[in-house]
């Protein structure tokens, strides 16, 4: 247990529905300090806190955010709870994408996706479903390595039980979760596909469509997916897009990589979870894309 007096809060970084994240220091080391929001009668908040701490303590992988410790302090009748993790200098993938917009190399994007695959393969091997995989929950360190974080609504898969219930962030939720049907680890693959879309096209999945979140949910259940902003069978439109892709290598195979990338993305967001590939299969495909660009 970390004492509150051993923590130094240096900068407020972000705020979400369940927590406020600060940059800070612990015994001379830069850390991220996540302060949990506790509402009146905070049974559910307490459960989220305990669940995230339990999961983080059990995880050790280069592509999963490293847990440092937990701090609980009291002030009068108030209890303050903090989760301390390693500090990721480049922030979330969402922030990183905006920061590099217009200068984000395809090699970097593929490397980040490979990192996410490695982290997700590890989580699924451990029987853990993330259930809220999105750019805001992937963190990037100074060297550009991606690590998966925010396990507040993650769940340990139980092969004896039916996994049901609401999970995730609306634009990234698989249709079976939206319908509160039985779901498996393949719900994370659907979320990954939406992330693939955001990374390749550097835009939000439904930003040009006048839908509220409830409408998006209904339409996703009925087959709505993010719109690819060009027709891959229109040579001029396709060439115009591939010309915008930045790479440090010759563009000899960029067109074929983009076509196969989009095909993989679409398989990953299939309506039937049984048609979606595993993260092992996704990893092998993306690794081949990366090699095709670099070793042509």
């Amino acid at each position: 247990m970390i004492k509150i007096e051993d923590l130094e809060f240096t900068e407020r970084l972000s705020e979400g529905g369940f927590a406020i994240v600060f940059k800070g220091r612990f015994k001379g080391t830069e850390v991220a300090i996540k302060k949990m929001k506790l509402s009146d009668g905070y049974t559910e908040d307490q459960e989220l806190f305990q669940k995230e701490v339990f999961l983080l303590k059990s995880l050790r992988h280069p592509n999963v955010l490293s847990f440092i410790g937990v701090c609980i302090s009291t002030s009068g009748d108030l209890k303050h709870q903090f989760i301390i993790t390693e500090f990721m200098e480049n922030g979330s993938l969402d922030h990183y994408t905006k920061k590099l917009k217009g200068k984000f190399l395809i090699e970097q994007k593929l490397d980040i996706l490979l990192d996410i695959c490695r982290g997700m393969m590890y989580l699924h091997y451990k029987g853990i479903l993330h259930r809220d995989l999105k750019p805001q929950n992937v963190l990037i360190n100074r060297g550009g390595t991606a690590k998966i974080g925010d396990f507040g609504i993650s769940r340990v898969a139980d092969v004896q039980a039916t996994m049901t219930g609401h999970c995730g962030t609306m634009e990234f939720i698989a249709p079976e979760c939206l319908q509160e049907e039985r779901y498996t680890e393949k719900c994370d693959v659907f979320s990954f596909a939406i992330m693939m879309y955001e990374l390749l096209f550097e835009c939000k999945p439904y930003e040009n469509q006048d839908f509220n979140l409830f409408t998006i949910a209904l339409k996703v259940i009925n087959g709505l997916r993010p719109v690819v902003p060009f027709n891959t069978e229109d040579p001029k439109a396709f060439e115009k897009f591939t010309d915008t892709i930045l790479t440090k290598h010759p563009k000899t195979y960029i067109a074929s990589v983009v076509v196969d990338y989009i095909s993989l993305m679409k398989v990953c967001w299939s309506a039937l979870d049984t048609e979606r590939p595993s993260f092992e299969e996704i990893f092998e495909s993306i690794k081949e894309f990366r090699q095709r660009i670099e070793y042509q």
Side-chain angles (χ1 to χ4, degrees):
M1 184 76 69
I2 294 174
K3 297 178 181 178
I4 189 68
E5 53 265 30
D6 290 333
L7 293 175
E8 177 187 353
F9 294 75
T10 58
E11 182 184 349
R12 181 173 173 143
L13 297 176
S14 63
E15 181 172 354
F18 297 105
I20 304 170
V21 180
F22 298 88
K23 178 182 178 181
R25 300 187 73 83
F26 171 61
K27 294 185 176 180
T29 301
E30 280 192 332
V31 295
I33 305 169
K34 183 176 182 178
K35 180 182 180 182
M36 307 303 293
K37 293 180 179 178
L38 299 179
S39 55
D40 294 335
Y42 52 83
T43 305
E44 184 177 349
D45 301 323
Q46 183 74 23
E47 183 180 337
L48 285 172
F49 174 77
Q50 292 175 346
K51 181 182 291 186
E52 184 161 9
V53 169
F54 174 79
L55 284 176
L56 279 170
K57 286 173 67 175
S58 70
L59 302 176
R60 289 289 182 274
H61 189 274
N63 298 113
V64 173
L65 194 65
S66 295
F67 174 76
I68 294 174
V70 64
C71 173
I72 299 177
S73 70
T74 55
S75 175
D77 294 332
L78 295 176
K79 179 185 285 188
H80 302 287
Q81 300 178 324
F82 306 88
I83 295 173
I84 297 88
T85 63
E86 65 178 312
F87 178 68
M88 302 291 279
E89 294 84 356
N90 277 311
S92 71
L93 178 56
D94 183 60
H95 170 79
Y96 195 59
T97 302
K98 292 172 184 173
K99 176 182 173 183
L100 292 184
K101 191 173 180 66
K103 51 184 179 180
F104 206 166
L105 297 176
I106 187 67
E107 292 90 344
Q108 292 173 289
K109 295 179 180 182
L110 294 175
D111 286 343
I112 285 170
L113 290 173
L114 288 171
D115 283 345
I116 297 169
C117 283
R118 291 184 185 99
M120 291 307 302
M121 284 190 286
Y122 171 74
L123 292 177
H124 286 180
Y125 172 77
K126 298 272 285 185
I128 296 169
L129 282 59
H130 191 284
R131 303 203 307 164
D132 197 17
L133 190 60
K134 59 183 179 180
Q136 292 85 347
N137 290 340
V138 173
L139 292 307
I140 312 294
N141 69 11
R142 182 181 284 111
T145 298
K147 302 192 181 192
I148 299 164
D150 203 331
F151 295 89
I153 66 167
S154 298
R155 186 167 178 178
V156 178
D158 183 349
V159 295
Q160 301 299 322
T162 300
M163 300 284 287
T164 60
H166 180 71
C167 56
T169 302
M170 194 64 73
E171 299 94 319
F172 295 85
I173 302 177
E176 63 270 21
C177 295
L178 290 170
Q179 297 179 90
E180 298 195 354
E181 294 178 346
R182 178 188 176 277
Y183 60 84
T184 68
E185 75 282 353
K186 295 296 183 68
C187 67
D188 288 332
V189 172
F190 183 95
S191 303
F192 181 82
I194 307 300
M195 292 179 64
M196 288 180 69
Y197 179 92
E198 282 205 11
L199 261 185
L200 181 62
F201 300 116
E202 297 184 15
C203 66
K204 299 299 179 184
Y206 305 105
E207 67 178 6
N208 294 321
Q209 300 181 54
D210 188 21
F211 299 145
N212 59 37
L213 293 179
F214 179 72
T215 304
I216 288 174
L218 289 177
K219 288 184 175 291
V220 166
I221 290 170
N222 290 306
L224 175 72
R225 299 295 183 269
V227 176
V228 174
F230 59 85
N231 183 352
T232 54
E233 296 180 3
D234 180 343
K236 289 185 178 179
F238 184 59
E239 184 179 355
K240 184 177 179 180
F241 173 75
T242 56
D243 282 346
T244 68
I245 292 179
L246 300 178
T247 175
K248 59 184 178 182
H249 295 93
K251 288 194 172 185
T252 311
Y253 293 106
I254 286 292
S256 68
V257 166
V258 170
V259 169
D260 291 344
Y261 181 109
I262 292 172
S263 295
L264 175 64
M265 177 180 74
K266 289 181 175 180
V267 173
C268 289
W269 69 36
S270 296
L272 295 177
D273 65 350
T274 53
E275 295 180 356
R276 299 173 205 151
S278 67
F279 275 104
E280 286 81 3
E281 293 168 317
I282 298 168
F283 178 85
E284 291 301 323
S285 293
I286 295 175
K287 184 172 73 172
E288 193 275 329
F289 300 162
R290 185 70 171 82
Q291 291 170 343
R292 208 187 306 172
I293 292 171
E294 189 162 357
Y295 303 115
Q296 48 192 307

